[in-house]
């Protein structure tokens, strides 16, 4: 990554809009892939120190760059992050 860091993202901590539940059947239950790489920006993501006090939801943490971006299921099973949408091709 251009930032020189990797990331570990916990799927269960990502807030999903209420309307995503209605999409469940049409997306074959793959709401997380849609939320992470569907092409629409639905949340702002940023890095802050672990001890920072803020009203936002922590969804993961920065890691060593060699790990890339890893998405963790509830049971800890890791998956590579889905490729996102490239706007400027």
């Amino acid at each position: 990554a251009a930032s020189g860091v990797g990331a570990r993202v916990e799927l269960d901590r990502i807030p999903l809009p209420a309307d995503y539940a209605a999409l469940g059947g049409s997306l074959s239950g793959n709401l997380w892939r849609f939320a992470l790489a569907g092409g629409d920006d639905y949340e702002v993501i940023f890095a802050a120190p672990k001890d920072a006090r803020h009203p936002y939801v922590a969804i993961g943490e920065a890691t060593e760059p060699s790990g890339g971006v890893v998405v963790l299921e509830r049971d800890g099973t890791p998956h590579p992050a889905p490729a996102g949408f490239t706007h400027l091709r």
Side-chain angles (χ1 to χ4, degrees):
S3 62
V5 299
R8 185 171 28 254
V9 177
E10 298 174 37
L11 287 179
D12 284 350
R13 297 186 58 89
I14 298 172
L16 293 177
D19 348 2
Y20 273 36
L23 295 172
S26 63
L27 294 174
S28 303
N30 207 346
L31 299 178
W32 298 114
R33 182 171 294 284
F34 184 70
L36 290 170
D40 290 326
D41 299 329
Y42 89 103
E43 292 282 343
V44 174
I45 190 168
F46 65 93
K50 281 187 177 188
D51 59 352
R53 292 182 167 259
H54 51 75
Y56 304 103
V57 175
I59 63 168
E61 62 185 356
T63 63
E64 294 295 321
S66 60
V69 178
V70 176
V71 177
L72 298 175
E73 290 186 39
R74 177 177 289 154
D75 66 2
T77 303
H79 299 280
F85 184 81
T86 302
H87 294 273
L88 303 174
R89 269 194 215 186

